[in-house]
């Protein structure tokens, strides 16, 4: 995802997309993304290949399987390898967070 613009990639979903925070506070559902480190191939004190890791988090008030499938289809179409984590309920915000690990 380091060579792909996450905002452009996720724009077809029609939901706010922001780096680390909801760009439109109060609007749910929304999506955030952020860097999660890297796994580099290195030898002789040189980095030969960088593999960036990203997380995408989908926030919803109610479970929305159709929206999750649309997000997953976008990732598949962009040939992005991903894993989906367990749904997490955030009681203070009254939202569910569905994490994707890229």
């Amino acid at each position: 995802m380091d060579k792909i613009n996450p905002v452009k990639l996720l724009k077809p979903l029609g939901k706010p997309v922001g780096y680390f925070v909801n760009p439109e506070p109060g609007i749910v559902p929304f999506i955030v993304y952020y860097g999660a480190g890297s796994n580099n191939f290195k030898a002789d004190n040189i980095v030969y290949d960088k593999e960036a890791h990203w997380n995408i988090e989908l926030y919803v008030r109610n479970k929305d399987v159709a929206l999750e499938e649309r997000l997953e289809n976008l990732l598949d179409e962009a040939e992005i390898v991903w894993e989906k984590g367990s749904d997490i309920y955030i009681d203070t915000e009254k939202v569910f967070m569905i994490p994707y690990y890229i």
Side-chain angles (χ1 to χ4, degrees):
M1 209 153 120
D2 47 323
K3 294 176 177 77
I4 294 173
N5 180 325
V7 175
K8 261 188 193 175
L9 173 72
L10 300 168
K11 186 176 182 175
L13 296 174
K15 308 300 176 201
V17 177
Y19 184 72
F20 263 108
V21 297
N22 182 357
E24 298 181 32
I27 302 294
V28 179
F30 66 93
I31 300 167
V32 299
Y33 67 96
Y34 54 91
S38 68
N39 185 20
N40 299 337
F41 175 74
K42 49 202 171 291
D44 302 322
N45 295 322
I46 296 172
V47 174
Y48 287 95
D49 188 41
K50 303 171 194 170
E51 181 182 303
H53 296 270
W54 292 85
N55 289 346
I56 294 174
E57 296 174 351
L58 171 63
Y59 291 84
V60 295
R61 293 224 187 270
N62 299 302
K63 184 73 172 170
D64 189 340
V65 174
L67 180 57
E68 291 174 43
E69 288 175 352
R70 288 177 49 215
L71 189 155
E72 293 163 12
N73 288 338
L74 286 176
L75 297 174
D76 290 341
E77 289 167 8
E79 297 181 351
I80 295 172
V81 177
W82 56 274
E83 296 286 334
K84 183 178 183 179
S86 299
D87 296 4
I88 298 167
Y89 184 67
I90 304 170
D91 190 48
T92 56
E93 303 297 320
K94 305 292 187 225
V95 296
F96 291 93
M97 186 267 288
I98 299 95
Y100 291 85
Y101 309 108
I102 311 301

